[in-house]
Amino acid sequence: MLEKTIKRTIIKPATLLLVLFIILPNFKIKGQCVPGSLSRECINSISEGFIYLKSYSIDGKNISKENIEYTAVMSKDTQYAFKICTSHEGADGIVLTIYDSNRKEIISNREETVIETELNYMCTATGIYYIRFTFYESENRCGGCILSFKKSQD
């Protein structure tokens, strides 16, 4: 009886770790939400005269997240511009609604079935505002939003 010998290649742990650190960061898992990179894309398209203030991550992939809420302090007589960026066309069903400190709705980027990617708001009172993102027939439920401002000219 002939014995077959099987040659085994043993990969050293250090070699395996090196391969993992080099190769894995270059793979993007399908369907992965990366709101930070979407926000960075938005920054490059800020309207003239506006100054970048902050960005918001919108990751509603988890079905339990029907809305995502942040706060922002806004100042009277300042023009604010919100811009939503997604990996799809337009706002991809991401609805942005601004509420005052009493949770009264001020303005939204949705009017019936039309959802705009940009929302401009002239602040009438200094205070804390609630920035809420919800989803209306959104395919991806993922995006980034930037907030920029421009002080009004008297």
Side-chain angles (χ1 to χ4, degrees):
M1 181 182 279
L2 294 170
E3 281 189 34
K4 293 182 180 180
T5 57
I6 299 174
K7 197 174 194 181
R8 291 187 175 174
T9 303
I10 299 175
I11 298 174
K12 294 180 181 177
T15 305
L16 180 61
L17 285 173
L18 179 64
V19 169
L20 290 175
F21 281 119
I22 293 171
I23 295 175
L24 285 182
N26 296 319
F27 286 102
K28 184 178 176 187
I29 299 170
K30 189 176 180 180
Q32 181 181 10
C33 181
V34 187
S37 65
L38 295 169
S39 292
R40 282 188 292 280
E41 288 176 26
C42 272
I43 292 172
N44 295 329
S45 61
I46 290 177
S47 299
E48 189 175 329
F50 280 81
I51 299 167
Y52 170 78
L53 186 60
K54 68 184 306 182
S55 61
Y56 300 99
S57 294
I58 308 164
D59 184 357
K61 294 293 251 181
N62 183 345
I63 198 69
S64 67
K65 284 191 175 180
E66 287 304 314
N67 64 65
I68 300 166
E69 191 171 272
Y70 296 95
T71 58
V73 175
M74 292 194 246
S75 301
K76 182 179 180 177
D77 297 328
T78 303
Q79 175 78 32
Y80 291 92
F82 293 84
K83 182 167 185 176
I84 296 172
C85 289
T86 67
S87 58
H88 286 65
E89 187 69 29
D92 186 32
I94 297 175
V95 178
L96 163 62
T97 309
I98 301 173
Y99 298 87
D100 68 10
S101 59
N102 296 317
R103 300 250 182 209
K104 179 183 173 207
E105 183 177 326
I106 302 293
I107 193 169
S108 177
N109 69 331
R110 177 182 174 196
E111 199 163 311
E112 296 191 25
T113 59
V114 177
I115 301 171
E116 300 292 337
T117 57
E118 294 187 44
L119 177 66
N120 292 310
Y121 172 62
M122 176 57 84
C123 187
T124 57
T126 299
I128 296 175
Y129 290 81
Y130 296 92
I131 315 303
R132 182 179 294 168
F133 299 97
T134 56
F135 307 98
Y136 176 77
E137 298 178 359
S138 176
E139 290 180 32
N140 207 20
R141 299 171 65 102
C142 176
C145 178
I146 61 162
L147 170 59
S148 57
F149 75 97
K150 177 168 68 171
K151 196 72 174 160
S152 69
Q153 306 297 339
D154 291 325

